[in-house]
Amino acid sequence: MNFTRWSARLPGTQRRAAARTDPPLPPDRRPDGSVPPARAEQLTDEAPPVPAVDDLPVRDVLDRVPALVALVHGPDHRLAYVNGAYVGAFGDRTLGERAHEALPELAELGLFPLLDQVQRSGRPRTLKSRKAPDGRSYTFTCTPVTEPHHGDGDRGVLVFATDVTDHAEAAARLRASERRQRETAVTLQRSLLPQELEEPDDLRVAATYHPGGTEAAVGGDWYDVITLGGGRTALVIGDVMGRGVRAAAVMGQLRTAVRAYARLDLPPHEVLQLLDGLATEIDANQIATCVYAIHDPNEGRLVYASAGHLPILVRDQNGTVQRADEPTGPPLGTGGWMHTSGSIALTPGSTAVLYTDGLVERRNEDLDEGIAALERALSGATGTPQVVCDRLVRSAGVTPDHDDDVAVLVLQHPARKGAEAERFRNAALELLGGVEAAPRARAFASGVLTSWRFPTDLHDLGVLATSELVANSLQHGTPPMRLRLRRTDRRLIIEVTDGDDHLPRRRRAEPGDESGRGIAIVATIASNWGSRRTPGGGKAVWCEFLLPKR
């Protein structure tokens, strides 16, 4: 194989050859070819002649470049040339052999299909950063080389390999560092989320969290389920704006604060008001959206407040989906806003969904379209809360490389029938009159607990707790007063409401005191007790007893 013949078709050679055709005569050269006598100043001032690039031997240039160069020709890619750098990397090669035998390292790199493609198309192709058998990484560029006056079958391919090992190793180290940072951020994020959801008596709940993308910058999405006592349950979901460990840390602080404020058993809008001030103190530049809701099985409604968060969706047992749009306020951390509470029906057989924007927000798509698509998916989603949760995530097209975090919280209020319904019972009595209401309340509680077939010791404790709570309300409260008894499959709940909003507190009664022992007795005999202000004014004082396990 004559390399000079092939080097004439290297890129740029034709262009340079054309430039050399009929060059203009320099001013110091005569038409007959003779040169006028040199002047003295020319001998001293002119620079020595420099050879042009076109005059450099191509083979000498390729032999000296540090890049790996090989030339193959013909449809079977027979080896025509390899330079010294190629030989130094992979050893001596026999010219004239087919590339499959002469250049086995290119086969390992999967380069031969690329050679065929360049041979057919006549266009250069590049294969970036491939690790060769010598342990180093190269970027291969394959360029067609055509012999004049010959067909495409005699076309050759020049393989030019640039060593990019340093760049490849740096990129690998960067990817490994980003992967470690992401694993750290995801671990932090997941550790700040509840490891196990609390299980309310009257609700069935499930939740899922999907970190977004493959970057280290996970978001600050969170959710929680908090049993408040007295059969009530708080549900919360939120999203800290921004990404990374900082957002996850702020999220952890807000979630802890929500659990602390929930223990105060405040209305949802008051909880958000407290969170708003705390978010400003944590980081004035960090804002978050949040929705806080409370479910009371006695009311059959979900009372909620929203700080710039997406609306709750509720599907009834017939498949109709309602959107809880109002009221809503600005995100947490903005300050200067009075939040308000709203409510939406959550009857037996209903399913409610709380979610973050990663589930419904897409680039170049209106947010309302995403929420509408979620409504359609929810209308046909049946089964357990976990099944519904998984179906909603799949319907939204959430994949491991999704570009935003996704948190979803699903709750169901089951429609119980038959023997299961017998384990969930309610009874209520209006406390009318004066002191005579106390014996009526005791008799009512005794009859109800007997009909519910409670064991004697639990029956007696329930009657005693009823007596103390009613007596406390008669002494310190104002009408209207009401006694409510409720049983679930796990506990007995006794609650007394009245029109006074002064909350009782447990205190130590001195030997000479004639009062102050009622709440202490209740706290001693009951599994749990508490009090809260009711929305219309007044208060509710409750206690609960765990039922023996069957």
Side-chain angles (χ1 to χ4, degrees):
M1 179 67 187
N2 186 346
F3 183 84
T4 306
R5 181 176 70 121
W6 282 98
S7 67
R9 296 302 299 164
L10 289 176
T13 304
Q14 275 189 315
R15 195 165 51 249
R16 290 191 295 270
R20 290 196 299 267
T21 304
D22 297 329
L25 291 174
D28 59 348
R29 186 175 295 276
R30 296 177 177 175
D32 58 0
S34 62
V35 178
R39 293 178 297 178
E41 59 268 25
Q42 289 179 327
L43 295 177
T44 57
D45 294 342
E46 276 194 358
V50 177
V53 173
D54 295 339
D55 297 331
L56 296 176
V58 175
R59 179 169 187 139
D60 288 348
V61 173
L62 295 180
D63 280 339
R64 295 174 183 273
V65 297
L68 280 58
V69 180
L71 179 69
V72 297
H73 72 93
D76 54 353
H77 305 307
R78 292 191 176 276
L79 182 61
Y81 167 77
V82 289
N83 71 344
Y86 198 105
V87 172
F90 299 115
D92 290 331
R93 294 293 183 266
T94 303
L95 301 183
E97 287 189 353
R98 295 174 67 250
H100 282 275
E101 291 79 23
L103 305 174
E105 58 278 355
L106 298 188
E108 294 184 29
L109 293 169
L111 203 65
F112 287 125
L114 194 67
L115 293 178
D116 293 335
Q117 185 179 5
V118 173
Q119 180 83 16
R120 290 192 303 269
S121 66
R123 296 180 180 179
R125 294 289 186 269
T126 298
L127 193 66
K128 293 185 177 180
S129 190
R130 290 295 180 93
K131 193 168 185 179
D134 65 346
R136 303 191 68 78
S137 297
Y138 299 91
T139 290
F140 291 87
T141 299
C142 300
T143 304
V145 182
T146 306
E147 171 68 8
H149 311 301
H150 288 74
D152 291 343
D154 203 26
R155 178 181 290 150
V157 180
L158 182 70
V159 181
F160 192 90
T162 307
D163 190 335
V164 293
T165 304
D166 292 343
H167 296 285
E169 291 178 351
R173 289 193 297 268
L174 180 60
R175 288 193 297 269
S177 175
E178 290 176 345
R179 184 169 56 252
R180 289 192 297 269
Q181 291 179 23
R182 173 176 167 75
E183 291 171 354
T184 300
V186 171
T187 300
L188 172 63
Q189 172 84 333
R190 291 193 181 278
S191 68
L192 294 174
L193 292 172
Q195 304 305 301
E196 291 185 4
L197 292 178
E198 296 184 21
E199 298 181 359
D201 293 0
D202 294 273
L203 297 176
R204 299 293 178 262
V205 297
T208 186
Y209 168 72
H210 293 267
T214 57
E215 300 176 359
V218 297
D221 296 16
W222 92 92
Y223 56 82
D224 211 346
V225 178
I226 309 165
T227 53
L228 301 177
R232 302 165 75 247
T233 306
L235 306 116
V236 60
I237 195 164
D239 184 3
V240 177
M241 299 296 101
R243 301 176 70 82
V245 175
R246 177 59 182 167
V250 172
M251 175 273 287
Q253 295 177 77
L254 291 178
R255 176 178 173 256
T256 302
V258 169
R259 295 193 69 88
Y261 296 149
R263 299 304 176 192
L264 301 176
D265 212 342
L266 299 171
H269 65 275
E270 293 189 23
V271 171
L272 290 191
Q273 209 70 49
L274 293 172
L275 280 177
D276 186 29
L278 179 64
T280 304
E281 294 177 8
I282 293 175
D283 188 343
N285 298 318
Q286 195 88 51
I287 62 175
T289 63
C290 178
V291 62
Y292 181 87
I294 295 176
H295 175 254
D296 188 339
N298 297 311
E299 303 296 335
R301 301 190 70 80
L302 199 63
V303 181
Y304 67 92
S306 175
H309 204 78
L310 299 172
I312 301 172
L313 301 181
V314 178
R315 175 190 183 274
D316 64 20
Q317 57 185 346
N318 299 320
T320 303
V321 178
Q322 287 185 305
R323 183 189 301 191
D325 278 326
E326 298 292 343
T328 185
L332 302 175
T334 56
W337 182 269
M338 294 300 295
H339 292 273
T340 56
S341 294
S343 67
I344 188 170
L346 189 68
T347 56
S350 297
T351 300
V353 178
L354 291 75
Y355 52 96
T356 57
D357 57 1
L359 186 67
V360 295
E361 191 173 32
R362 300 291 182 271
R363 290 191 179 97
N364 303 321
E365 187 174 306
D366 189 77
L367 182 60
D368 282 337
E369 294 179 7
I371 298 176
L374 181 61
E375 289 179 346
R376 292 190 294 272
L378 178 59
S379 66
T382 58
T384 65
Q386 189 60 58
V387 170
V388 173
C389 202
D390 294 340
R391 287 188 62 180
L392 296 181
V393 170
R394 286 197 303 270
S395 69
V398 177
T399 59
D401 58 352
H402 192 63
D403 60 358
D404 195 5
D405 289 24
V406 173
V408 183
L409 177 62
V410 175
L411 56 132
Q412 290 180 344
H413 187 186
R416 298 181 174 89
K417 299 179 181 178
E420 186 182 16
E422 289 296 319
R423 296 196 296 269
F424 290 81
R425 306 287 293 275
N426 283 281
L429 174 68
E430 300 294 333
L431 300 176
L432 304 175
V435 293
E436 67 274 12
R440 285 203 308 271
R442 287 193 293 271
F444 175 79
S446 178
V448 169
L449 298 181
T450 299
S451 69
W452 289 349
R453 299 179 181 179
F454 281 174
T456 302
D457 55 345
L458 185 56
H459 170 280
D460 294 342
L461 290 175
V463 172
L464 176 58
T466 299
S467 177
E468 295 297 337
L469 291 180
V470 170
N472 184 78
S473 182
L474 291 173
Q475 182 175 358
H476 302 288
T478 60
M481 302 179 185
R482 192 183 193 200
L483 168 66
R484 176 184 288 157
L485 285 79
R486 175 173 173 78
R487 70 156 295 171
T488 69
D489 58 345
R490 304 176 195 172
R491 69 198 81 228
L492 165 66
I493 302 168
I494 302 170
E495 183 180 79
V496 176
T497 59
D498 63 56
D500 186 84
D501 61 0
H502 179 72
L503 299 180
R505 59 184 180 89
R506 185 180 180 182
R507 62 185 179 87
R508 181 186 297 275
E510 299 298 332
D513 292 343
E514 296 182 359
S515 63
R517 294 182 174 83
I519 294 299
I521 292 173
V522 170
T524 301
I525 65 175
S527 304
N528 194 15
W529 80 281
S531 62
R532 70 178 187 279
R533 291 186 173 88
T534 53
K539 66 177 179 295
V541 185
W542 56 269
C543 68
E544 58 186 32
F545 298 86
L546 295 177
L547 301 184
K549 295 183 178 179
R550 296 183 178 182

